[in-house]
Amino acid sequence: MGKVYFISKNTGLCMLILAACVAAIIIALSIAYDREKAKNRGKPGDEAPNNTASPPTTAFTSQEPWDHYRLPDTLIPVSYNVTLWPRLQPRGDGLYIFTGESTVNFTCVKETDLIIIHANKLNFTHLSGHHAMLRGLGEATAPAIQKSFLVVKTEYLVIQLQSKLVEGASYFLHTQFLGELADDLEGLYRSEYMDDGVKKVVATSQMQATYARKTFPCFDEPAMKAIFEVTIIHSRDTVALSNGKECDSSDSVMDGVPVKITTFEPTPRMSTYLLAFIVSDFDFIQSNQNHLMIRIWARKKAIADGQGSYALNVTGPILEFYERYYNTTYPLSKSDQIALPDFHAGAMENWGLVTYRESSLLYDPYFSSTGNKERVTTVIAHELAHMWFGNLVTVRWWNDLWLNEGFASYVEYLGADYAEPTWIIKDEIVLYDIIKVFDVDALATSYPLSRREEEINSPAQISEMFNTISYNKGAAVLRMLSEFLTEPVFARGLSSYLNTFAFGNTVYTDLWNHLQQAAANTPGIHIPHSIEDIMNRWILQMGFPVVTIDTRTGSITQKHFLLDPDSVVERPSQFNYTWFVPIKWMKTGVEQPQYWLLQKTDTKSPMKVTGDEWVLANTNVSGYFRVNYDLDNWDRLLSLLNTNHQALSILNRVQVIDDAFNLARAKIINTTLALRTTKYLSKERDYLPWATALKNVNYYILMFDRTEVYGALQGYLKKLIQPLFEYFKTLTENWTKTPTGHTDQYNQINAISMACRVGVEGCRELITGWYRQWMENPDQNLIHPNLKSTVYCYAVAYGGVAEWDFAWRMFRNTTLASEATRLRSALACAKAPWLLNRYLEYTLDPTKIRKQDATSTIQYVAQNVVGLPLAWNFVRERWSYIFNQYGKASFSFPRLVSGITRRFNTEFELQELKRFKEDNAHAGFGSATMALEQAIETTIANIRWVTENKADVLKWFTAESTKTK
């Protein structure tokens, strides 16, 4: 609706701002920059020298307000005027820098003689002997500054005043500063790429979660929303982008340098973490939808090759879907999306200027795979969902991050489904979100979706919240909520919530209240308790229940599901780990009325069965819980799979397999019962059940591929996969055609990959033949894009130095990001230890492996059974470097720890892991702290499981692999 527009899009407003500000900015910056050049500066992060003694950086003492990570509640920003000048050429000392100035208008809401504002790694120009200049607004008189200093630990600029600021009065704080335009992927940073042998430099940014302060001094918390007026100074052969529309661009000369000064329309009231500043020579393609300008930006060659066209084509429909879904107009005047050569996350929802890895935005119709296309669609849908949920309405603090990310992770499937309805993509949430997060949330070291504010303070703790729990569990429980409310009621509650809190901040209970109102106003919606009472049990306590149904008696129980039943849960729960569980169920194929399990035990007579009747609960995995049955009902379900598997929906076939395997790991059912769920797969042709089975079988591979069990396991899998391999060989006319179905294309990959892994006849020859043809004619790669990842990996694994070096050469030469990702992963498939060690060393050299890809490349090597000990030794030996580069606040860093330790299942490996923790305790583990604790817990569970199940598993696989039909 129209009311969500915060400002006029009339460019006259921009001209008014320019008339008042630009001349003053140019003069002030010229003086400041001349002053900067005249000084003998240290590296950014050191204080700039000046004629007066500068107070030293303070040591940590918990008594002072600047020693706390959270800002005091005394000042609120209203607006910022920020000017930045990133230099895309290095100084004489080789350092890339940016300079800038900022004026923040803030209001004092509690009397104070302190101004505490975030600033990190900035060199300040001293103004009258201090880091900043303060003046009053209107009739307010600014107190004199007594002293100013930087606090490194909490990343503050502190200004102590000689008298107090007046409650209700407003002030301006002006700063001038210099920072390093580093290649650290944080704040305002440098990205580089090669274009026809010429190095190109881009200035770009990543502010989430705590990096805006590394770009300019700001109140860098999500609730400190303000309006931002941005000016970017840049070379004339480049273009500048920011959140708002460009409203003026003029040529000038500054410090003897010809420049362009670009000014943008003021932003709506927004959080600092959503800011974006980019200077590049990129090109774009554009469309207009209902007067909204939509642009896709990328390297000129990528745009010329048509790699941005697909993103442009789906952006309009996805925005259109969200406008209807939220019943709220898109809040801005433009939608820019840009693909960057160097970007740590997959994408970032900067308001009006969304940044992406190239592989998440660019799609080449000739060289990209179906999986690449789906990733582009879902990532765009995820980020655009944030334009409303997260950007328009923002959580008050990072402890509720799950509300932003869980919501976007859920509705991305709805947006993608609207853009590509033939994919039936909504079902994939079960595999990629629900089943994925079950593994983590079943640990005793898991934690609730929403944590207390005081638990999340430091940048590392904030970054640690960007995890599987926030994204995937958040999506799972919101989907469950939508299921029992119905989607229309859920959407009406969202619309009310967004319109009520537009441009503001909320806590999760605000959403519950609006959903409750929507439910109360809808006839026929009956829930046993308030939404807040129901959902608090899912978000304020960790984990989830296993619901056990005894079909002999009709009794139903729930219990906190733990993957290792011997682990100890130390985190207390106010709900005693009991949930209000919405259970959709069927009896012998007939849907039954929804049932709510509201206590630990209950009895429901209709769930009793006789004869051949069977019960299946949690139909289509609508709820976030696992289901167990009495042994007789399990036998009936397995018999049904073996005789008529399509009597169960695809999602419930997924559920039966995944629940059984995980119940077995938790010692609730026998391991052989879980293995029996795979026997019907020789008749299964659908992707999701196969993907689920292979995910669970992969756990057995990880646990046993270094033992004698692997031979029998391999024999069974060979027998199981052979029919699927032959099916796709026939369907594709001996691999010459592509399956038409979206998920059939994925299952073809499963068939070939697993067939090669277990030695199905003809697979190796197929792979090596395709790869050899490419090696003989590098300019003509006839391997289908869908199959490239599999072919590249197995060809490198089967081959030697020649195959590896060829893949490396192709990796270095490709200009398509998705192709580079495939090759980078395949290079880790080598079996020669020296090749893998050399590859690990390459991760330390950003000219070989980009910084954004370093930790994932190490993980790829660790996935290789030969590479595991090499990667583990590599990380331990170079921990200090890796931690300092990536560990303090990186979102992806926890995956490095969990990825390397996945196979750990011996006492020796456990002791090594504990020693690693002890040896590095002094430095800490940053955003991987929780991941390390969970790795230790998982290793302990693996040791117990292998000890208790190895003999039975070997016996079962041996018998089944030798059994004739």
Side-chain angles (χ1 to χ4, degrees), residues 317-329:
I318 290 171
L319 285 173
E320 177 187 321
F321 169 79
Y322 286 142
E323 285 192 315
R324 288 210 311 268
Y325 183 73
Y326 296 126
N327 193 27
T328 306
T329 307

Side-chain angles (χ1 to χ4, degrees), residues 787-862:
L787 305 179
K788 284 180 176 180
S789 291
T790 297
V791 173
Y792 295 173
C793 177
Y794 282 103
V796 168
Y798 293 144
V801 178
E803 286 75 14
W804 197 97
D805 286 347
F806 176 78
W808 176 253
R809 190 164 70 253
M810 294 300 100
F811 168 72
R812 299 283 282 177
N813 291 340
T814 186
T815 58
L816 181 63
S818 56
E819 180 74 351
T821 299
R822 286 190 285 264
L823 287 162
R824 184 168 57 85
S825 174
L827 288 162
C829 298
K831 298 303 180 186
W834 72 270
L835 282 173
L836 294 173
N837 268 326
R838 184 177 72 177
Y839 194 34
L840 287 167
E841 292 293 335
Y842 285 0
T843 64
L844 304 178
D845 183 352
T847 66
K848 291 185 169 68
I849 301 293
R850 290 185 177 276
K851 280 191 172 184
Q852 66 174 15
D853 299 323
T855 57
S856 62
T857 302
I858 298 169
Q859 289 177 66
Y860 290 151
V861 175

